[in-house]
Amino acid sequence: MRGRLDRVDLVLWAAAFLCAGVTLWLSVAAVPPGTAAFGGADKVEHALAYLVTTLLVLLAAVWRPGRGEGPLARWWWAVLAIMVVAGGVLEIVQSFVGREAELADWVAEIVAVSLAWGVLVGWRRRVNRLTVAGTTRGGDPSTV
């Protein structure tokens, strides 16, 4: 069982680094396709990139179902701060590579990081509630 959990963590970390790499590349490369699809499309793209990347990092590092607390559980706030600061730094870098740095992009990233934290907290509460309910009824909490 422990080996399986390690593989899950490895996949989560790999996916998080892949998403972070794609986000970095799209942030400094030419304007990504689809940014003019509708007004605010680039804000949606920023938000989705940071939501997915942050959630993957949180699942790998802070908490996930089946494992519980991760290696950075006590440093959850630092994980969130790093994501927010990274978004701000990338916005500044964009102004040096022929892209436009926008405060609204950074706000979209901050909202996405906050949303990722909210999703993780809600998911954890739900799992804990189901585990307690399964244990209270005398059932095996791993099957709940």
Side-chain angles (χ1 to χ4, degrees):
M1 182 75 171
R2 182 69 186 149
R4 180 177 160 270
L5 296 179
D6 289 344
R7 278 183 255 137
V8 170
D9 291 334
L10 182 61
V11 168
L12 285 170
W13 279 113
F17 279 110
L18 177 65
C19 284
V22 169
T23 300
L24 175 63
W25 181 75
L26 290 174
S27 295
V28 296
V31 178
T35 55
F38 57 90
D42 67 315
K43 308 307 177 257
V44 173
E45 290 172 349
H46 280 262
L48 284 174
Y50 278 78
L51 174 67
V52 171
T53 304
T54 303
L55 189 56
L56 287 168
V57 171
L58 288 170
L59 287 168
V62 176
W63 177 89
R64 73 169 172 81
R67 181 201 60 214
E69 290 189 347
L72 300 178
R74 293 183 184 188
W75 296 94
W76 60 268
W77 56 272
V79 171
L80 298 178
I82 288 167
M83 295 301 295
V84 168
V85 169
V89 167
L90 281 175
E91 284 304 312
I92 293 168
V93 168
Q94 284 182 339
S95 66
F96 294 102
V97 296
R99 299 278 303 272
E100 191 174 326
E102 291 186 48
L103 181 61
D105 289 345
W106 193 36
V107 170
E109 295 157 4
I110 293 169
V111 169
V113 168
S114 302
L115 183 58
W117 176 247
V119 167
L120 187 80
V121 168
W123 193 357
R124 184 175 184 170
R125 286 182 181 161
R126 173 108 173 112
V127 167
N128 288 343
R129 196 173 329 117
L130 290 173
T131 301
V132 169
T135 305
T136 323
R137 289 192 302 258
D140 179 5
S142 66
T143 63
V144 175

